[in-house]
Every structure is written in C-alpha cells, then in structure tokens.
Amino acid sequence: MATRLKEVDVVIVGLGWTGGILAKELAEAGLKVVALERGGLRLPQSDFTVPQVRDEIRYVIRHDLMMDTQKDTLTIRNNVSQEALPMRRLGSFLPGDTVGGSGVHWSGHTWRWTDMEFKVRSRYEERYGKKYLPEDMTIQDWGITYDELEPYYEKFERVAAVSGKAGNLRGKIVPGGNPFEAPRANEYPLPPLTPLLAQEMFREAAAANGYHPFPRPSANASRPYTNPDGAKYGACQYCGHCQRFGCEANAKGSALISVIPIAMRNPNFELRTHAWATKVLKDPGAKRVTGVAYTNVLNGDEFEQPASIVLLCAYAINNVHLMLLSGIGEAYDPVTQKGVIGKNYCYQTGASATLFFEGKHFNPFMNAGGSSTTIDDFNANWQFDRSKHGYVGGFIVAGAFNTSLPIGYRPVPAGTPAWGTEWKAATAKWYDTAMQINMSGSVMANRYNYFDLDPTYRNAFGLPLMRMTFDYKPNEHRIGEHAAQVINDLAKSMKPTHLNPAVARTGPWTVVPYQSTHNTGGTIMGTDPRTSAVNKYLQSWDAHNLFVVGANVFPHNSTYNPTGPVGALAYWTADAIKNKYVKNPGLLV
Amino acid sequence: MKEDAFDRRAFLKSAVAGGAAAAAGTLPKSAEAQGTAPTKTPAQESPPPTYSFLNPDEAAFIEALVDHMVPADQYSPKGTDLGLNLYIDRALASGWGKGDRTYMQGPWRPGVPSQGYQLPLTPAALYRSGIAAANAACAKTYGRRFDKLDPAQREEFMQGMRSGKVVFEGGPPSRAFFATVYQNVMEGMFGDPMYGGNRGKAGWKMIGFPGVIAVHYQNVEKFRGKKYSVEPVSISDMS
C-alpha cells in the first residue's frame, strides 16, 4: 500500500535541464517544490575527477551515466506489420540517468530553432503549395513564434555558458556568424571556441565552394565564466572526453552545476533521488491531476506525492511513456489518426565521410564537444529551393571532432583488413591523419511513426514497456542523398589522399549502432486539442495543472540539436506558471 | 544494403565495408616513414595468465584468436602480451559479462536485423556456447579445434565467422559471437590498462593516443596541425 505524503505545490518528475530550470524558478517564486529523480546524485567534484573520469570503457562502452535497460527499455519496430521486440541494450540513443540527466553527458551544441520549424506547415504550403507535402507527413505548426521565444533562448544560453558568434544581431548580418540565423537581441555570452585544424580546413573549403561556414554554438565555456545566477564555469580544456562524460573542468553547460545547486540551496525545494515515478494520478471528476505515484528503488517502498501542479521533466521518451501509463489524453492510433498521445515521434538522420591526409596532424584527442565548423546553407537558408530535391526539411554539414577516443574512433581507408599487421599499420598511420565531414538531417513527422504501449513486454515495475514504431521515409532518404552529395563534393575539393565517401542511408532505421540522442515528439504542442497534447505553454489540454516539458513537445525534428529550444521552453513555461497559472489556475489558452 | 543484427560499431569505425582495396600493402613502410614509433618489446615476459571465467579450452581459443588478430610486429607485441585474453576474461567475469544493463526478459524472438541483439544469452553465455560451437565447427571442417589450426586455416575460419558463413550447429549465430569477440578485442587493445588489456599502453603508443592527461587549452592552438608526441598516461599511472 502506497504511503500518501503531504501535499506540495509542485512535483517534478525528472531533474535534468528542464526539471532543474523549473525547480529553481518555481522555488524562487515561493512555491514548495519536490523533484523525483529515478537515478542518484553524482557531483562533479567527487564523480568527474581526473583520472577516473577519462575512462572510455566505463563511460562510452559500458554506459555508466545512461539509463539501465535492465529496469526499463522500449520495444522497437520499423513498421506496424512487425512484432516489436525489446531494445535489450542501449545503442542508437543514450538517455541519461542520475541528477542532471542527459545534460550531464551531452556535447553542448545549442541552437535556436526558428519560425522555419514553428510555422513549418504554413511556410511550406505558402512557398511550395499544399500538394508539395506528402499526405502521410503529419507536420503542423507549433503554435509559438521565434519572437516569443527569443528572450528565453538568450536566458538559456547565458545560464548554460554558450560560446558562439552571432550572425544576425537585431537584423544586421554580422561577419563570422551564421548569416541564416534568426535575429538575436544580443551576442553569445562567450566567444567561439578555438578552432581545430579540421575545422579550419573545412571552413576554407566551404567558403571556396560558396557556402557560409561558422563556429557551431555550444555550451562549452571558451573561457572562465560566471553566469547570471552566479554559477561558475571553468574554461574548456579540449580534453577530448566530452560526449558521454561528465565534465571535470566544469566547462560544459549542465544543470548539475548551474540551476540544480541553486534550487537545492532554496528551502522551498526538496530533491528525492532513486524515486521512480510510475503514474500521474488523475482526479476522475475534473480535468486535473492530483499528484504522482513513485517507488523508492533502494527499498521498494511506494508513495503518492499529492501536488497542485505536476511537471513531467524526464527524458522526452519517458515523459510520453508516463502519459500513456497514466491514461492522460487519448492514445494515438495511426489507422484512424485519432488521439494525440504518442503521435509524431521523430528522430534525426546522419552521414559522414572520412578524409585521409597523408602528413597532416589532426590531434583527434584534442577537442571540445562543440569543436565544429558548420554550414547552414541547406537548412536555415530559406532561399535554398527544396523542390529541386523534392524534400521538406534540410541538413547541416560540419567539419568536426568530438570525443574521438581510440576504442570507438580508428579511421582506416575502405578495404583495409579488420585485423592483422596490415590493419595495425593502417590504424597507426591514419589515427592522427584523418578527419571527418558529417551531416545531421531533419526528420519530418509521419503518420506511422509513433509511440504506444507494448502488448507483451514489461519493465521492472510490471508496467508495459513503451513501443516505438519508426522508420525513415522517402523524404529523409532524399535529404540523405543530397547531403551525401554535398559532403562528397566538399571532401573531394579538399583533395585528400584517400576518401571514404559519405553514403546515403537506404535501409531501415536500426537500433545499433549509436546515432543520436535526439528523440522528439509523442506529446506534441499545438493550437488544437484534437491534434496536439499540450498548448503553447506545454500545458496538457486534458489536465490544466499538468505541464509536459521536453523535446517530446516538438511536432517534428529539425536538423539542429534540440537542447536550445528545450531549455528556452522550460524558461518560457516557468514564466507562464509563475505569472499566469498560479494567479488564475486553468487552461492558459 | 544489408544490415547486421549485431553491434557493428567496431566494424563501421574500422571501415571494413565495401570499396576497392587501398594501398594497404604499402602501409607498413609509409607508417614508418612518417615517424610512427615502433613499439618493439624484445621478448617481453608476460605474467602467467590467471583466468577467473575462461576454462582451459576456452582460454586456448581466446589466446589463439587474439594472437592471430594482433600479431607481434613493429607496431605492438602480440595479443596475449598485451593482455587481450585477460581483458576478455575479466569482462566476462564482471557484471557486463553477466548481463548487467541488458533486458533479459522473454519472450525471445529472432526479430529482424534492425532490432539488434535478441539472443537469450548474457555475454558470458554467448562466449561459452560460441567457443564450444566454434571448436566443434573447426573439428568438423579441419579435424582440429581452433587453437590447433595453422594460421591460414585460422584466418579462413575467422573470416567465416565474421561473415556468418560458418554455421554453429545448435549454437548462437557465428556472426553475433564474432562481433562481440571483435568488439572486446578492440576494447582490450585500446581501453585503459587497468582493465587487463593494453599492457604497457602499447595500443595507445601504436596510434599516438596520449591517454588521460588532457589539458589542452593552450595546446589546441600551439599544436594545431603539428604532431603531439608524449608518453601516454593511464588511469593507474595517476592513481
């Protein structure tokens, strides 16, 4: 029998970036806030110290900071005719565990998504005509605008210590930045990171080919920095252990060293670790929720935490899972296209070429998570005519290094044997003398890419696993083909000794190898309760005191990394709760 | 495009797929020419291996395999001298070998390749059944178990496991077994020596990886485009 606890103002499920931001903001607004975090607490000063933190086997290979698929996982399939089977081990994506969430082990790439995403359907229909969009492409406008979000982007960039170079300041194009970005009110809080040789070579080649290269904005502090809340960042050491690692230098933007410790010093806030939320409790008589049921995973004790406001701030996939487990809102059905919970799951697509340059030294062990020089000519550039290639969306291309450690990164020319002296010779020769050009491509929503509850498999709590049905569609294949061509043309112009060209993906999405932890959708935002799960304030249409915060609200996936809008939307939601909802509880739209 | 069912990262990263053979035959020379420090370890004495998971037959299989995959040459000592056999033994005896972080509930179905690993076997069980099946297949084809094969037969048999051409009767798919072994050999060769492999940091020396000391705030500019040569430092060196 669950123990019923004393009611609080706010209960938060998951304490990563979004939970941390909301915990700090709402506790400071005088609300009593409790956060339930399924993992434990790891502190940089004790858990991310040199030399132990520099361990590729522990952190990269054995996933020390990631979710444990023994306790909970998903089932996966490419289409509705397949039987979904459990993702028995992590592979394609790596959601985090412990306080700080995936924001502990990310690389820090922080973009501003713009009206090109937020008004995606209306913009494409306006420019290319209604018939241009495939019938099963269920993209829709988000119900929010870039102008509304701009101050919140800035707030997040300052909190997270983003290094970068503005390309558009209040409408004026600024040299050195991304000329295709939307207008910014102010510069980045920190100057760009020091570029690597690979970035400089890519920049020269991209410019010579008529593109517009710029340093990718990233939450890796390029110099020591104190953020507006007083949180102190060290300078990035280009240690080469960024993605999948905690940061020993406190240089990577993380809730664990910014908003969370500030919230924890506030007496209005309480953190409960090892607290695994199993259900959001509903008030059967009203359109509201009453709290969260959870289990203490250290001893199995069950609790109910009543609260006036419930915030789901877990990883995007887990927020959707909890909504489905709790029966809030109508589950999406791809056949009838009725229901909204689970709808529009999206992912991203990628490809890369490896360029081998005899005699060059790239020092692949010296880089920041954000060591990337990028072009946005095929994404944010709205002048780029998609109709020539027949797709919706786009891609960014970069010359970059990130966490190129020797178990995972050992480039050799195609055709090299996989073992023996020849393999060793090639591995020794090319480790330091190769670089990559990679791309990240958008994925548009499709009627048949969605989440629901699995009919067969269960997690450690006896609850149904979430089922993911996903595959790339012809739209994504066309993006991949075009991107591979752009990469290979650029690569050839750099005259490498050898080139392993980029190859466009043609087969199905696979659960291995690692691809991207940019899973979006499932409880999407919008203007209409019939086609969206939450409104522009991330407030559930079905329970006005429930807010679902994270990339799960994105109606489709851009080419960019998602954390910029995830952080901005968390601040936006915090303001809506503080300034609007608390004064007059009810639907804000 | 055919998709493997199993963890292909090692294969993908070492780019064994497709394409015309590059000038691989000339590589040793050019590698020396560009100043790769040869890591000759003249008759280095290895401590006698003490196994906690592998039985003697299994150990013989793994020793033969890692020495074939990583022969002694100008780039590094041979696999057993690097401790790759010990790395594998310890990994199999550890939580990872026993299925840590793996969803092990049934029902079990083969699924399609895009659904990844679906065998009802922990890594330790995969090795145990895989080695037994591999030795049985070797006995059937060559009349001897794997560790008694000559180098050409070993090469042929390993290529057969890698492609899945070798059939493990009643055992796990040979390709799944081999993909796991291959990945583990790479982990042992290039992971931190505290796990039992990469003895003398020979894997790191071979490629010029500097190890765990990585304070490059100034180096990133100072060594841009220049060779950065240091004696690699491991976790235990600093502990």
Side-chain angles (χ1 to χ4, degrees):
Chain A
M1 190 62 195
T3 305
R4 194 176 160 85
L5 302 167
K6 190 166 162 275
E7 178 159 1
V8 295
D9 295 322
V10 180
V11 63
I12 297 177
V13 176
L15 198 66
W17 262 127
T18 61
I21 287 169
L22 280 146
K24 172 187 169 290
E25 295 292 311
L26 299 184
E28 285 176 358
L31 298 171
K32 294 282 180 199
V33 180
V34 165
L36 307 174
E37 163 58 43
R38 67 180 179 180
L41 177 64
R42 297 202 219 209
L43 298 171
Q45 61 269 31
S46 49
D47 291 298
F48 303 149
T49 53
V50 172
Q52 274 77 15
V53 73
R54 304 267 163 82
D55 184 346
E56 186 181 8
I57 287 177
R58 176 175 173 183
Y59 291 103
V60 181
I61 305 296
R62 305 276 182 254
H63 302 136
D64 197 66
L65 296 176
M66 315 306 179
M67 68 179 265
D68 181 354
T69 50
Q70 203 166 35
K71 292 199 188 90
D72 193 33
T73 182
L74 300 91
T75 63
I76 48 155
R77 58 181 181 174
N78 289 124
N79 56 64
V80 292
S81 66
Q82 287 176 352
E83 182 183 10
L85 294 178
M87 179 175 80
R88 296 189 179 276
R89 299 167 172 166
L90 291 177
S92 184
F93 47 87
L94 301 171
D97 211 28
T98 76
V99 174
S102 303
V104 172
H105 74 255
W106 70 320
S107 298
H109 302 185
T110 307
W111 296 93
R112 293 181 172 201
W113 296 26
T114 68
D115 287 342
M116 211 177 67
E117 316 300 340
F118 303 152
K119 298 177 181 173
V120 64
R121 180 164 281 276
S122 39
R123 285 209 162 180
Y124 273 88
E125 285 185 353
E126 188 190 344
R127 171 150 184 200
Y128 297 102
K130 285 195 176 185
K131 284 191 179 153
Y132 186 71
L133 301 177
E135 208 173 315
D136 60 357
M137 186 183 281
T138 48
I139 53 173
Q140 60 191 53
D141 291 0
W142 295 34
I144 197 168
T145 65
Y146 175 79
D147 287 345
E148 286 175 304
L149 219 45
E150 203 280 339
Y152 299 94
Y153 277 129
E154 179 168 312
K155 184 154 193 168
F156 182 65
E157 286 163 358
R158 285 170 186 247
V159 166
V162 176
S163 300
K165 175 73 196 144
N168 182 340
L169 270 178
R170 297 177 286 276
K172 189 168 171 266
I173 301 304
V174 183
N178 179 4
F180 304 115
E181 74 175 350
R184 307 168 51 88
N186 291 297
E187 247 301 355
Y188 283 96
L190 287 150
L193 295 158
T194 304
L196 315 174
L197 174 64
Q199 289 175 263
E200 294 289 77
M201 287 169 61
F202 177 82
R203 181 178 57 74
E204 282 167 27
N209 280 274
Y211 302 134
H212 301 82
F214 59 92
R216 181 174 299 202
S218 64
N220 308 145
S222 55
R223 56 179 66 162
Y225 173 70
T226 302
N227 85 5
D229 299 322
K232 292 197 186 317
Y233 285 88
C236 174
Q237 297 300 316
Y238 303 82
C239 74
H241 295 68
C242 193
Q243 187 177 189
R244 308 191 193 183
F245 293 86
C247 182
E248 165 265 330
N250 283 342
K252 175 158 65 173
S254 163
L256 195 53
I257 59 166
S258 56
V259 286
I260 291 172
I262 296 171
M264 288 177 78
R265 286 196 292 271
N266 190 319
N268 287 335
F269 176 71
E270 182 193 342
L271 165 63
R272 293 183 200 143
T273 57
H274 304 99
W276 191 297
T278 51
K279 194 173 189 180
V280 180
L281 304 166
K282 280 195 296 188
D283 180 343
K287 284 203 142 198
R288 60 192 299 279
V289 294
T290 58
V292 174
Y294 71 93
T295 300
N296 176 348
V297 294
L298 299 179
N299 60 15
D301 288 351
E302 294 179 4
F303 298 93
E304 285 183 12
Q305 177 59 65
S308 307
I309 299 171
V310 174
L311 307 176
L312 301 189
C313 296
Y315 187 70
I317 288 172
N318 300 323
N319 283 341
V320 181
H321 192 205
L322 206 46
M323 290 289 278
L324 287 166
L325 289 174
S326 310
I328 297 165
E330 190 185 348
Y332 173 71
D333 179 339
V335 178
T336 62
Q337 290 189 272
K338 292 217 168 83
V340 290
I341 310 299
K343 182 182 163 184
N344 282 19
Y345 169 66
C346 289
Y347 198 43
Q348 280 177 334
T349 184
S352 69
T354 305
L355 293 72
F356 301 87
F357 290 95
E358 195 142 10
K360 296 257 191 230
H361 298 288
F362 290 102
N363 294 326
F365 38 81
M366 273 182 211
N367 51 69
S371 292
S372 170
T373 295
T374 303
I375 59 169
D376 211 350
D377 297 69
F378 301 102
N379 173 51
N381 177 14
W382 189 240
Q383 297 309 310
F384 159 57
D385 185 358
R386 271 81 169 166
S387 67
K388 280 195 285 192
H389 304 275
Y391 58 72
V392 175
F395 57 92
I396 48 176
V397 177
F401 271 101
N402 181 5
T403 314
S404 305
L405 298 170
I407 298 172
Y409 177 81
R410 281 171 282 104
V412 289
T416 302
W419 58 76
T421 292
E422 269 185 45
W423 163 76
K424 288 166 73 176
T427 304
K429 174 172 180 176
W430 297 113
Y431 176 68
D432 188 33
T433 53
M435 64 169 276
Q436 291 185 318
I437 299 178
N438 61 50
M439 77 89 171
S440 161
S442 62
V443 168
M444 293 298 124
N446 184 279
R447 175 181 177 177
Y448 294 104
N449 287 337
Y450 72 107
F451 293 117
D452 62 356
L453 292 177
D454 190 86
T456 307
Y457 293 94
R458 295 189 171 250
N459 70 12
F461 303 89
L463 301 168
L465 298 186
M466 193 154 73
R467 177 167 66 179
M468 173 190 283
T469 305
F470 176 76
D471 208 351
Y472 297 110
K473 304 300 177 190
N475 188 67
E476 283 70 57
H477 291 144
R478 287 193 283 271
I479 290 174
E481 280 163 27
H482 183 209
Q485 182 201 324
V486 168
I487 290 174
N488 293 335
D489 287 349
L490 261 174
K492 282 173 200 157
S493 80
M494 293 166 73
K495 300 192 170 30
T497 318
H498 295 289
L499 172 65
N500 289 352
V503 180
R505 170 189 277 279
T506 52
W509 171 69
T510 63
V511 75
V512 283
Y514 180 76
Q515 288 148 69
S516 156
T517 309
H518 301 160
N519 314 79
T520 64
T523 62
I524 63 176
M525 62 193 294
T527 55
D528 184 344
R530 286 170 303 181
T531 55
S532 57
V534 299
N535 63 28
K536 69 191 288 190
Y537 300 108
L538 316 195
Q539 179 184 36
S540 166
W541 292 113
D542 293 289
H544 64 74
N545 62 340
L546 173 64
F547 295 79
V548 192
V549 190
N552 42 277
V553 304
F554 296 2
H556 72 276
N557 208 342
S558 157
T559 79
Y560 291 154
N561 309 55
T563 310
V566 165
L569 284 168
Y571 277 113
W572 160 261
T573 301
D575 266 8
I577 293 172
K578 281 191 297 190
N579 302 330
K580 294 182 180 164
Y581 184 81
V582 171
K583 289 172 188 155
N584 188 14
L587 277 178
L588 296 170
V589 177
Chain B
M1 183 172 135
K2 275 189 191 161
E3 295 288 342
D4 290 339
F6 308 102
D7 192 345
R8 297 180 306 142
R9 189 182 311 123
F11 292 108
L12 290 173
K13 288 290 183 187
S14 42
V16 293
T26 67
L27 288 179
K29 232 179 210 170
S30 20
E32 280 186 337
Q34 70 150 21
T36 304
T39 29
K40 268 187 196 140
T41 345
Q44 178 177 299
E45 281 297 313
S46 304
T50 310
Y51 293 108
S52 59
F53 174 79
L54 299 170
N55 71 28
D57 288 353
E58 292 163 346
F61 178 95
I62 293 297
E63 288 170 7
L65 184 139
V66 301
D67 283 344
H68 184 89
M69 215 175 246
V70 182
D73 51 28
Q74 68 266 46
Y75 302 104
S76 83
K78 68 181 191 291
T80 47
D81 287 338
L82 292 179
L84 304 187
N85 48 330
L86 284 181
Y87 171 81
I88 289 172
D89 179 69
R90 288 186 194 179
L92 294 173
S94 75
W96 176 79
K98 303 298 185 268
D100 207 12
R101 290 177 169 270
T102 305
Y103 183 83
M104 290 298 287
Q105 295 177 44
W108 301 90
R109 314 237 190 272
V112 293
S114 63
Q115 290 172 310
Y117 189 86
Q118 294 295 337
L119 295 173
L121 299 172
T122 62
L126 178 65
Y127 266 81
R128 188 135 279 164
S129 59
I131 293 172
N135 274 331
C138 286
K140 201 170 162 188
T141 308
Y142 306 105
R144 277 168 297 174
R145 60 185 214 186
F146 179 76
D147 59 287
K148 306 290 183 201
L149 301 183
D150 66 41
Q153 291 170 326
R154 250 179 226 170
E155 178 69 20
E156 181 183 66
F157 188 73
M158 284 167 62
Q159 294 290 358
M161 290 193 287
R162 182 182 173 211
S163 68
K165 215 176 92 190
V166 166
V167 175
F168 286 175
E169 280 169 28
S174 62
R175 199 165 67 169
F177 167 68
F178 190 77
T180 302
V181 176
Y182 186 88
Q183 168 67 16
N184 291 155
V185 170
M186 296 302 133
E187 290 165 10
M189 181 140 177
F190 297 106
D192 195 274
M194 72 177 173
Y195 292 98
N198 194 11
R199 189 176 297 148
K201 296 163 280 187
W204 290 353
K205 287 176 185 166
M206 181 180 113
I207 59 174
F209 177 69
V212 304
I213 290 190
V215 182
H216 296 311
Y217 182 74
Q218 284 165 345
N219 291 341
V220 71
E221 190 146 13
K222 196 170 153 196
F223 287 91
R224 186 191 291 127
K226 295 183 186 132
K227 190 161 179 65
Y228 180 77
S229 299
V230 290
E231 177 71 19
V233 176
S234 70
I235 290 175
S236 47
D237 289 338
M238 282 187 75
S239 300

